[in-house]
Amino acid sequence: MARLLYSAIASLDGYTVDASGSFAWAAPSEEVHAFVNDRERTVGTYVYGRRMWEVMRYWASDDPASDRSSVSAEYRRIWQSADKVVVSGSLAAVDTPRTQLVRDLDAADLLQRKAKASADLGIGGPTLAAQAFRAGLVDEVSLYLHPVSVGGGTPALPRDTTVDLRLAEQHTFGDGVVFLRYEVAPT
């Protein structure tokens, strides 16, 4: 069975965006972005909430001028080669290739996708991921903690669910970002 991987860039105080919805503080350095690329290669399908998909659809463009570097261009290729599932009750349609729109996160459907997948699934967006955590479907958590405190916003991890994590890996980057990878303990 494929794993469901949750990955988030977060502030040191645990938020993916600040109180105004900004994540400008979270732009990864080339070193961090190259590391992310290596991690994302195992993902065959991304499962996104609407807001996360709206951010990530930037990578659907084939315009080479939109890539800041070879690392950015490589991520574009990784993202474009994966399937996407967008969970949204408000979108009428999606306009990126290899993308399916579903109305709700159905735990049974996600479990079936994990069982049938030949590659890992990534879940993006903390609100959607919280639903998957509550359903007991997340297998691994990767956090890229930026050395900034934003004081509020959208939490990276659910506040209403206990998630028992086991540290599996850690790495510190030159810019002070800390990568923490956890396995989710079975319940």
Side-chain angles (χ1 to χ4, degrees), residues 5-184:
L5 313 175
Y6 171 56
S7 182
I9 295 173
S11 62
L12 196 55
D13 55 346
Y15 297 98
T16 58
V17 296
D18 63 25
S20 67
S22 174
F23 55 92
W25 50 266
S29 66
E30 288 293 300
E31 179 188 19
V32 172
H33 203 166
F35 188 88
V36 168
N37 288 358
D38 289 341
R39 298 291 170 177
E40 296 294 305
R41 287 184 218 293
T42 69
V43 176
T45 302
Y46 291 107
V47 182
Y48 294 131
R50 179 190 54 84
R51 286 180 295 233
M52 181 59 76
W53 174 75
E54 288 172 344
V55 169
M56 298 305 292
R57 66 194 289 255
Y58 165 84
W59 299 104
S61 166
D62 285 326
D63 179 10
S66 58
D67 290 319
R68 297 183 318 261
S69 68
S70 61
V71 172
S72 176
E74 180 183 18
Y75 184 78
R76 181 176 308 283
R77 287 188 297 275
I78 292 167
W79 190 85
Q80 288 179 356
S81 69
D83 293 325
K84 291 91 175 159
V85 176
V86 179
V87 180
S88 173
S90 62
L91 287 172
V94 291
D95 60 358
T96 55
R98 302 181 67 155
T99 306
Q100 174 189 10
L101 177 63
V102 299
R103 293 293 164 207
D104 298 299
L105 181 69
D106 180 312
D109 176 63
L110 192 50
L111 186 59
Q112 184 177 33
R113 286 177 190 271
K114 285 175 62 174
K116 290 182 176 180
S118 59
D120 291 330
L121 290 83
I123 190 159
T127 304
L128 184 65
Q131 294 177 44
F133 276 113
R134 284 190 286 277
L137 296 173
V138 178
D139 300 294
E140 188 175 290
V141 175
S142 292
L143 298 173
Y144 296 84
L145 298 178
H146 281 247
V148 61
S149 176
V150 298
T154 303
L157 295 170
R159 302 291 167 132
D160 63 351
T161 303
T162 299
V163 181
D164 189 15
L165 302 172
R166 306 272 194 285
L167 184 64
E169 182 181 358
Q170 59 191 8
H171 182 83
T172 304
F173 298 94
D175 62 357
V177 169
V178 176
F179 168 74
L180 301 170
R181 183 174 65 84
Y182 296 94
E183 295 171 354
V184 177

